[in-house]
Amino acid sequence: MSILNDLNKEQKEAVEHRDGPLLIVAGAGTGKTTVIASRFAWLIQQGLAKPEEILAITFTDAASVEMQDRINNLLPYGYVDLWINTFHSTCEKILRTHGLDIGLSTNFRLLNTTQSWQLIRQNLNKFDLDYYQPLGNPTKFIHSLIKHFSRAKDEGIYAVDYLEYAKNCKLNTDSEVCDDQEASRINEVAQAYTVYQKIMLENNVLDFGDLINYTIKLFQTRPNILRDYLAKFKYILVDEFQDTNWVQYELIKLLAGERGNVTVVGDDDQSVYKFRGASLSNIFQFKKDFPNSKEVFLIKNYRSKQNILDLAYKFIQQNNPYRLEYQLDNMSKRLMAENSGDGIIEYFNVNSSDDETALVIKKIVELKTQQKDLTWSDFAILVRANDYANQFINGLEIANIPYQFLASRGLYNKPLILDLIAYLRLLDNYHESSAMWRVLNWKVFGINDQDLVKISHFANQKTISLYEASQKIQTISGISTATIDKVSGILDLIIKHTNYAKDKKPSELLLVVLVETGYLKYLDSLVDNLQHANYSYLQQFRKHVQQLEELEGDGFGLKKFIDMMNLEMEAGEYGALEQDVEAGPDMVKIMTIHGAKGLEFKYVFLVNLADLRFPTIERKDPILLPSALIKEILPDDVNWHLSEERRLFYVGITRAKNGIFFTTAKDYGGIRLKKPSRFLYELNFEKEQALAPRSTLNKSAVKMNKELFAQNNIAIKRQVAEQIVGTNLPTYLPKYFSYTQLKSFKTCPYQYRYAHILKIPVFGKATFSFGKTMHLTLQKFFQIIKDMQENNNRQTTLFAEIVDNTQENFRQPTMDSLLKIYNETWIEDWYDSKQQQEEYKEKGRKSLTSFYELHKDNWPKIKHLEIGFTVKIGDYSIKGQIDRVDSKDDGVEIIDYKTGIVPTKPDRDQLFIYQLATEAVLKEKPVLLTYYYLNENQQISFLATSEELSKFQEEIVITIEEIKKSDFKATPSQKKCRSCDFKDICEFRQM
C-alpha cells in the first residue's frame, strides 16, 4: 500500500515536501500524527534519508510511542532504533555520549521535581537564604525556588547570567527596577541558583532543564560535535511545536543548521502549557527565523461534527488579534468536518453540584441505552482541575457505572500501595500503630472486624502500641482462635522480614513481602480489570523504588527508603501515575482537559463551568524572573492567562466527536452562589444575571435536590446493571513481540499471561545479575575497541588511562582495563550471601581473563554493539537487541553472549530472529550465527538456510496468532513448574 493512500491534498503536500523548512498548521482532529509518520516513512521510501538519519521530537513519552507505532505500520521491513524521542530523552541520549566533552560525567543521574526538592532540603544549610527563609518554616519556598530555576532554564538563563544581572542590579540601586531591597533579593536568588547548580554537579545529578541547556552548551562550545549531528540528522520533525519553550526552539535551530530541513507541526489555538514554560511566540517566530519556509494548513477535520467545530471556531476568535490566523495572510483556520450531520450541543445550568452529577450520569446512561454500539469509554467527563472530579467519581460509584479517573499523580494513594508502604513502615518501626492497623486489615489475612476492634480497644486501654497488643493477643478476651493464629503468623512474618531487610535492597524486600504474605496470590484472585490495574500500580511503585536505589547508591536500605518516602510526603509528592487511556478498560473516563489533549471521545461533558472555576484566577509565580532576562517577546497588552484558559476550553470542545455537553451549577458550597463561567456568556449560552447569597436558598429545596439525586441513581443502577453484564473485558496484548515472549508462550501460555500481560514482578536470580554484569562489561570494553578502530588508532583522552601504548599497529586496551570495567560494572543484586557473590565474582574474573588471553592478538572488527531493531514477520513486529555484529570478509557474524552451561543442542530461534533482522533491517549478509558461552569461553556457530528461515517465520506467525486469540490456558508439568517464576501464586502448578 502506498504511503500516500488515504491522505487528502493538503496532507500529501506536507508529506511530499522535500527540502527546506516547513510549517504545518494542523487544527484539532486533522491527522497531524498521520502526516508526521507518513512524512517520516516517505523520506525513507524516497531514499532521502535512512531511518536513523531522521530526528523526530515529540512532547510526551506517550506521543513518542504512538509515533513509533504509526511509523512501524508504514515501514515494510523494520528498522534499527529510531530517534523518536521527547526533547529531554533526545538530549539525555546525546549527553550520555558526549558529556565528558564539556566536563560532565556521562553516568549522571536524572532528578524529578520532588527529588530536586529533597536535594535542596538535605543541603539547606548551604543556601544563604534570608528573604526566602521565613521563620518557623524554613522549607516553605523550596518548591518556589525550584520552579524559578526551571523557568530560568526554559529561558536559557545560566547561573552565571543571573549573577551578572544581580551584580548590575546592585550597582544601579537608584533605578526604578532595583532599589536596595530588590537588589538584595535578586542577589539572594542568583546565589541560590548558583549553589543549586553546584550541588547538582557535586552529586552527579541533572534535572530536566539541565538536559537541554547542557546540550546547547555542548553544541555551542564543541562545533565539531555539532557538525557530526548536523551530518547525522538530514531531517528534523517536531510535533506540538506550539508547546515548545525558548531553549527547545534554540536547540532545534542549532540542529537545523544551514540545511534547514526542519518540519514543525503545531496549532497556536491549542497552546495550553504556558505554566510549564511553553513559549507561544515560537510558532510566530518560526516565520521570521525561516522566511522561506513553506506553509501547509490542515483544516479537514476527521473527528467532529461541523456544528461542534463551528461553535469552537466562533469561541476561539475571542483571542484575536493574537492568533496565527489573524496575522497570516490568506489563512483560514475554520475546520471543515469530513463527518456529515450535526452533533449534539447542549447546555445545563442546575441548582446544585448533586444535580449536576445526576444529570451527567443520566445523560450517559440515556445515550448508551439509545445507541447500542456505544461503550463506556466513548464518554469523557472533563474537569479543569483534579479536585473537581470528586463529585463525579462519587456519583458514578453510587450508580455502579465503571469509571477510570485518569489523574497524573496519586500512586501512593492507591490501596495496594498504601498497604505495602504501611508494611514497610512497620518493619522500620514496630510501634507505628497506624501502619499496624492497616496491615491487620489486609484482605489477604481475613481477620474479622469485631476482633480488630477488640485488639484496638485493648491497645488504647493499656496505652500500648497495636503491635504490642498483638503480641498479647491471647490475653484479650473474646478473640477467636482463628484470629489468634492469623495474628501470630503476621508477627512471625514481621520478625522474619525485619531480619531480611538488614542486608537487602527495598525492591528485593518488597517482592519477598508480596510472596510470603500471600498478597501476590490475593492479587491474582481478583477479576481481570482489577488485576491489571493493581499489577500496573505495583510495577510502577517497584520501578520508583529501584530508581531511588539507583539514585542513592550503595547502602540504600529500608531505613533510608522510609526517610525518602517521608521527604516525598513532606514535599507534597503522591507518586506519578502512568495510565494508558486507549489501552485501558471499558470505563467512563474522568480527567482534566490538559490530560485529554490529543484524545477524542464520542461524547464529552465539560463540567463545573462556574465563575472562578473555569477560567481560573491567575496565580503568578511566587518568584518572578526579572523581565530583563526573559528572551520570549510578547505584547504587553494581552491577558495571557485568560487567552490560555480560552485555548484550554477550545481544546475541551474539540475532543468531542458526536456531542458536547456544557454543565454548571449555582451551588458548589460556600457562602455565595456561583455565576456561570464567562465562557458561557461568550458562547451566548448565558446572559448576565445577579445571583443571591447561598443563605437565601430554601433548605427544603436543597434537601429535595439531594433526594432526587439519590432516586435518579437508584433508577440508573437498574439500567446499568443489565448493560454491565456480558461486557467484554479488554485483553492487554503487546503491540510488539520478542524472542522471550514467544519462548514463554510456547513453554506455558499461563506463564506468558503472568509475565507479559499482567507483568507481575518476579524475584531476581544471581545468574541474572551475573549475566547482566558480564554483558555490560563486554559492551563497554568492545566500545573502546570499536572507537579506536573507527578513529584509526588515535588515542583519545577519554581512554588514555586504560590504553596500552606498547603496540605499534593497534593500541589495545589492557587486561587490567577489562577487569577495571568489570569491577565498576558489577551488579550485586539477588545473591543469597556475600560468599555466593564472591564466588560468582571470582568466576567472572577467571572467565574474562581467559577471554582476553584468547583474543588479545586478534580482536574482531566491530561493526555494531548492542544494536536494537524491529523486524517485520508477516503482519507482526518483533523487537530485539543484538549483543555484537562483527565484520567478516564476505559478510557479518552475529554474536550473542551466554553465561550458562554449554548445551548439547542450543535453541537456535533467538539467532534466527537476529539473522532475519540483520538481512532485512541492517541490510547486511550474515555468514555466521554464534552463541558465545563466556564461562567456558566456547562458542557454537551455525547459519540458517533460506528454507529454515521461511519455515521459522511461518512458525512465528502461527505462535503470535495463537497468542492473539488465546485464553492462556496453563500447560503445567513438574519440570516446567519447578523453574517457573510464578510457581508461588499459580493455582495450576505441578511440583
Side-chain angles (χ1 to χ4, degrees):
M1 183 182 76
S2 170
I3 290 169
L4 302 177
N5 283 2
D6 302 323
L7 298 183
N8 63 43
K9 178 177 175 291
E10 292 76 21
Q11 289 173 333
K12 285 180 182 176
E13 186 180 358
V15 168
E16 293 182 300
H17 176 71
R18 294 183 74 86
D19 296 327
L22 170 65
L23 170 64
I24 303 174
V25 181
T30 57
K32 70 177 179 63
T33 306
T34 298
V35 169
I36 299 172
S38 298
R39 177 159 173 74
F40 193 112
W42 183 84
L43 290 169
I44 296 166
Q45 185 189 67
Q46 297 298 307
L48 297 172
K50 297 176 183 177
E52 61 272 23
E53 293 175 334
I54 303 173
L55 173 63
I57 298 183
T58 62
F59 197 66
T60 65
D61 290 328
S64 296
V65 172
E66 182 188 0
M67 184 69 66
Q68 184 158 318
D69 290 345
R70 297 281 190 101
I71 291 168
N72 176 61
N73 292 332
L74 292 170
L75 296 178
Y77 304 113
Y79 44 85
V80 296
D81 284 345
L82 302 175
W83 280 77
I84 304 175
N85 302 297
T86 63
F87 276 98
H88 294 126
S89 55
T90 298
C91 292
E92 181 180 0
K93 197 171 180 179
I94 292 170
L95 291 176
R96 294 284 183 200
T97 305
H98 301 289
L100 284 172
D101 291 278
I102 53 171
L104 190 70
S105 171
T106 55
N107 66 340
F108 61 81
R109 293 165 295 163
L110 197 57
L111 299 186
N112 60 29
T113 302
T114 300
Q115 291 161 343
S116 295
W117 187 96
Q118 291 169 340
L119 187 69
I120 294 178
R121 176 72 173 81
Q122 291 165 339
N123 293 275
L124 202 55
N125 61 317
K126 297 180 181 179
F127 290 81
D128 186 17
L129 296 178
D130 177 32
Y131 192 97
Y132 289 111
Q133 183 169 308
L135 294 175
N137 188 3
T139 65
K140 179 179 178 181
F141 284 105
I142 293 180
H143 274 306
S144 299
L145 285 169
I146 290 171
K147 187 172 183 180
H148 186 72
F149 301 156
S150 176
R151 286 287 296 113
K153 292 174 184 182
D154 289 345
E155 291 283 337
I157 303 167
Y158 294 91
V160 65
D161 302 325
Y162 218 134
L163 283 173
E164 183 64 24
Y165 175 79
K167 180 182 176 181
N168 292 334
C169 192
K170 194 172 184 179
L171 294 172
N172 295 280
T173 54
D174 56 346
S175 69
E176 294 182 5
V177 178
C178 286
D179 55 21
D180 286 337
Q181 185 180 33
E182 179 65 4
S184 177
R185 184 191 71 81
I186 289 174
N187 184 64
E188 180 174 310
V189 175
Q191 293 291 345
Y193 188 17
T194 305
V195 171
Y196 175 66
Q197 290 303 105
K198 184 172 182 289
I199 293 173
M200 297 271 279
L201 290 175
E202 288 173 349
N203 286 272
N204 194 27
V205 294
L206 304 180
D207 61 24
F208 289 104
D210 287 328
L211 290 175
I212 299 174
N213 281 280
Y214 278 125
T215 303
I216 289 175
K217 182 180 179 181
L218 172 73
F219 289 154
Q220 289 175 337
T221 59
R222 299 292 182 264
N224 58 319
I225 294 176
L226 176 58
R227 278 196 298 271
D228 289 342
Y229 280 94
L230 287 172
K232 176 180 178 60
F233 297 131
K234 294 181 178 178
Y235 292 88
I236 301 172
L237 311 176
V238 185
D239 191 14
E240 303 287 7
F241 185 63
Q242 77 281 349
D243 291 325
T244 56
N245 60 38
W246 191 88
V247 291
Q248 288 168 341
Y249 185 32
E250 284 299 295
L251 178 65
I252 291 301
K253 286 189 284 188
L254 277 170
L255 287 171
E258 293 181 4
R259 185 190 290 146
N261 287 340
V262 56
T263 298
V264 299
V265 185
D267 179 11
D268 58 304
D269 289 333
Q270 295 186 78
S271 177
V272 294
Y273 287 109
K274 182 69 177 174
F275 69 96
R276 289 184 184 170
S279 174
L280 179 60
S281 64
N282 285 350
I283 200 165
F284 298 103
Q285 187 66 29
F286 186 83
K287 284 296 297 177
K288 297 177 182 177
D289 294 331
F290 298 95
N292 298 322
S293 63
K294 180 179 177 62
E295 299 165 5
V296 176
F297 308 117
L298 304 182
I299 61 171
K300 290 183 180 177
N301 178 283
Y302 296 91
R303 176 186 298 158
S304 307
K305 302 292 187 180
Q306 189 64 54
N307 59 334
I308 295 175
L309 296 176
D310 288 344
L311 181 76
Y313 181 64
K314 175 185 175 184
F315 172 77
I316 198 60
Q317 287 185 89
Q318 309 277 343
N319 275 352
N320 286 339
Y322 304 107
R323 293 176 58 244
L324 201 60
E325 177 186 42
Y326 195 92
Q327 297 188 15
L328 293 181
D329 295 332
N330 303 318
M331 176 187 180
S332 172
K333 290 186 64 181
R334 179 174 179 251
L335 300 177
M336 306 304 296
E338 292 295 298
N339 297 325
S340 60
D342 282 343
I344 301 172
I345 299 174
E346 293 184 357
Y347 164 61
F348 300 95
N349 185 345
V350 295
N351 287 329
S352 69
S353 60
D354 282 347
D355 289 344
E356 184 181 23
T357 304
L359 182 139
V360 169
I361 293 172
K362 185 179 178 183
K363 276 288 176 185
I364 290 172
V365 174
E366 281 179 0
L367 287 165
K368 194 169 185 302
T369 303
Q370 294 164 3
Q371 302 176 40
K372 301 300 182 184
D373 62 328
L374 291 179
T375 66
W376 296 114
S377 294
D378 288 326
F379 300 94
I381 300 172
L382 303 186
V383 295
R384 177 61 184 84
N386 281 322
D387 291 346
Y388 298 159
N390 291 333
Q391 69 182 81
F392 301 98
I393 290 171
N394 295 334
L396 292 167
E397 192 87 46
I398 292 169
N400 279 354
I401 292 178
Y403 70 88
Q404 186 178 21
F405 178 39
L406 292 155
S408 60
R409 313 206 74 76
L411 178 64
Y412 302 160
N413 291 332
K414 299 299 179 185
L416 163 65
I417 307 306
L418 286 170
D419 284 350
L420 294 176
I421 292 174
Y423 194 92
L424 296 178
R425 285 189 185 282
L426 192 58
L427 299 184
D428 181 58
N429 178 8
Y430 290 173
H431 302 296
E432 191 167 330
S433 289
S434 59
M436 185 68 182
W437 175 257
R438 186 160 191 101
V439 170
L440 290 174
N441 273 278
W442 281 13
K443 290 183 180 179
V444 66
F445 295 137
I447 300 174
N448 69 64
D449 293 342
Q450 293 85 352
D451 285 348
L452 286 172
V453 170
K454 290 172 186 175
I455 298 169
S456 180
H457 180 72
F458 181 82
N460 291 332
Q461 189 179 46
K462 300 295 183 181
T463 321
I464 56 178
S465 69
L466 208 53
Y467 180 84
E468 292 171 300
S470 298
Q471 287 179 309
K472 302 175 185 293
I473 192 167
Q474 291 188 343
T475 67
I476 304 175
S477 62
I479 300 289
S480 67
T481 304
T483 294
I484 292 174
D485 291 341
K486 289 173 183 176
V487 172
S488 298
I490 293 170
L491 295 176
D492 289 343
L493 284 171
I494 290 171
I495 294 169
K496 178 182 179 182
H497 293 153
T498 302
N499 291 326
Y500 184 87
K502 290 177 182 177
D503 59 354
K504 295 295 182 182
K505 293 182 177 180
S507 60
E508 297 177 47
L509 172 63
L510 188 64
L511 278 181
V512 170
V513 169
L514 283 163
V515 171
E516 295 188 355
T517 60
Y519 208 120
L520 207 57
K521 199 163 188 176
Y522 160 71
L523 291 178
D524 195 49
S525 69
L526 300 175
V527 296
D528 282 1
N529 278 345
L530 287 176
Q531 250 186 16
H532 186 273
N534 277 288
Y535 282 132
S536 176
Y537 300 147
L538 177 58
Q539 185 183 25
Q540 291 176 54
F541 182 61
R542 185 162 179 260
K543 180 181 175 183
H544 176 64
V545 175
Q546 290 172 325
Q547 287 172 339
L548 289 178
E549 290 171 349
E550 182 181 345
L551 190 66
E552 294 298 308
D554 295 338
F556 184 73
L558 176 63
K559 177 66 178 174
K560 282 191 176 181
F561 170 72
I562 296 300
D563 289 344
M564 291 294 284
M565 289 300 298
N566 289 338
L567 276 174
E568 287 197 24
M569 301 296 185
E570 185 183 345
E573 175 60 59
Y574 293 99
L577 268 174
E578 300 170 10
Q579 302 192 79
D580 189 340
V581 181
E582 296 177 345
D586 181 23
M587 296 182 174
V588 174
K589 311 300 180 186
I590 309 173
M591 68 184 82
T592 64
I593 304 176
H594 280 106
K597 192 169 182 290
L599 302 176
E600 60 183 35
F601 305 91
K602 287 187 178 177
Y603 294 99
V604 168
F605 293 81
L606 278 177
V607 297
N608 282 185
L609 302 181
D611 185 38
L612 304 184
R613 289 195 164 206
F614 199 178
T616 60
I617 300 173
E618 181 176 13
R619 292 188 177 90
K620 293 187 180 294
D621 293 341
I623 308 175
L624 293 173
L625 277 175
S627 57
L629 291 175
I630 296 175
K631 298 180 177 69
E632 181 182 7
I633 302 172
L634 292 172
D636 295 328
D637 61 337
V638 181
N639 185 335
W640 287 107
H641 174 72
L642 181 59
S643 65
E644 172 124 335
E645 289 286 290
R646 201 173 275 124
R647 290 192 294 271
L648 187 61
F649 197 77
Y650 173 83
V651 166
I653 297 173
T654 53
R655 299 312 92 197
K657 297 166 76 172
N658 297 342
I660 179 79
F661 301 88
F662 304 90
T663 70
T664 188
K666 299 178 179 66
D667 182 8
Y668 288 103
I671 298 174
R672 300 188 65 86
L673 296 179
K674 297 289 185 185
K675 287 184 178 182
S677 163
R678 67 174 287 162
F679 293 161
L680 295 170
Y681 299 126
E682 292 177 4
L683 286 168
N684 293 325
F685 285 142
E686 280 283 352
K687 304 297 180 187
E688 288 289 348
Q689 55 181 299
L691 290 173
R694 185 174 184 274
S695 57
T696 62
L697 266 183
N698 186 304
K699 291 183 179 179
S700 62
V702 174
K703 182 180 178 183
M704 185 174 67
N705 286 336
K706 292 184 180 293
E707 290 174 353
L708 180 63
F709 172 67
Q711 291 170 6
N712 281 338
N713 276 288
I714 291 170
I716 288 168
K717 272 188 179 183
R718 295 195 189 100
Q719 289 177 268
V720 168
E722 296 180 0
Q723 296 184 26
I724 292 180
V725 174
T727 298
N728 292 326
L729 295 174
T731 302
Y732 300 87
L733 290 172
K735 295 177 180 177
Y736 300 90
F737 296 87
S738 66
Y739 163 75
T740 304
Q741 285 189 48
L742 300 175
K743 183 180 179 182
S744 175
F745 184 81
K746 286 181 179 179
T747 301
C748 174
Y750 207 66
Q751 180 193 85
Y752 177 89
R753 172 180 174 271
Y754 278 137
H756 302 289
I757 304 296
L758 297 175
K759 299 180 181 177
I760 299 176
V762 298
F763 285 105
K765 297 177 182 176
T767 52
F768 292 169
S769 296
F770 178 68
K772 190 173 181 181
T773 298
M774 296 293 281
H775 273 73
L776 287 172
T777 298
L778 289 176
Q779 177 191 345
K780 293 175 182 178
F781 181 74
F782 275 114
Q783 186 64 54
I784 296 172
I785 294 176
K786 183 173 185 287
D787 288 341
M788 290 177 175
Q789 291 171 344
E790 291 177 351
N791 286 295
N792 298 318
N793 299 330
R794 275 192 296 109
Q795 179 178 328
T796 65
T797 56
L798 177 57
F799 304 120
E801 65 179 84
I802 57 173
V803 172
D804 178 5
N805 297 316
T806 60
Q807 296 187 41
E808 292 182 4
N809 295 325
F810 182 74
R811 295 170 178 173
Q812 63 177 318
T814 64
M815 169 92 75
D816 288 343
S817 71
L818 175 58
L819 295 179
K820 180 183 178 183
I821 294 170
Y822 175 64
N823 289 327
E824 291 174 348
T825 307
W826 180 258
I827 298 168
E828 60 180 16
D829 301 343
W830 297 112
Y831 292 97
D832 293 335
S833 63
K834 294 290 184 183
Q835 181 182 347
Q836 186 196 39
Q837 183 176 173
E838 194 50 48
E839 287 171 356
Y840 266 97
K841 203 165 189 177
E842 181 59 28
K843 181 169 72 170
R845 287 192 198 101
K846 289 179 178 178
S847 172
L848 290 172
T849 301
S850 298
F851 180 88
Y852 185 90
E853 290 296 334
L854 279 170
H855 299 283
K856 66 178 181 179
D857 296 321
N858 188 29
W859 295 111
K861 183 167 177 55
I862 312 299
K863 187 104 178 183
H864 302 289
L865 283 172
E866 296 295 326
I867 185 165
F869 65 82
T870 301
V871 64
K872 295 289 187 65
I873 298 179
D875 294 329
Y876 306 111
S877 298
I878 312 295
K879 279 186 175 292
Q881 187 158 298
I882 303 173
D883 290 342
R884 202 176 90 216
V885 180
D886 294 345
S887 292
K888 296 292 183 182
D889 291 339
D890 52 349
V892 296
E893 179 182 4
I894 300 166
I895 295 97
D896 187 74
Y897 304 126
K898 299 293 181 186
T899 51
I901 60 173
V902 181
T904 307
K905 187 178 180 181
D907 180 355
R908 305 200 301 171
D909 289 4
Q910 183 176 7
L911 288 185
F912 279 5
I913 291 174
Y914 293 177
Q915 182 175 345
L916 287 168
T918 303
E919 292 174 352
V921 179
L922 300 182
K923 306 299 183 185
E924 305 275 8
K925 178 188 176 184
V927 294
L928 212 57
L929 309 177
T930 298
Y931 283 125
Y932 194 107
Y933 295 88
L934 294 166
N935 291 345
E936 291 83 8
N937 274 294
Q938 294 183 29
Q939 55 191 52
I940 297 176
S941 300
F942 50 89
L943 189 69
T945 65
S946 57
E947 292 79 10
E948 285 177 314
L949 285 182
S950 179
K951 183 180 178 183
F952 177 63
Q953 291 182 75
E954 291 175 5
E955 291 172 355
I956 285 181
V957 170
I958 290 170
T959 302
I960 293 176
E961 287 176 350
E962 283 296 313
I963 291 174
K964 292 177 75 70
K965 68 182 181 182
S966 178
D967 56 2
F968 304 109
K969 287 183 179 179
T971 57
S973 71
Q974 288 188 357
K975 182 180 178 181
K976 287 191 286 188
C977 293
R978 272 197 294 267
S979 61
C980 180
D981 290 324
F982 310 102
K983 58 181 178 291
D984 292 321
I985 63 172
C986 181
E987 61 183 300
F988 303 107
R989 67 182 181 180
Q990 293 180 9
M991 302 294 287

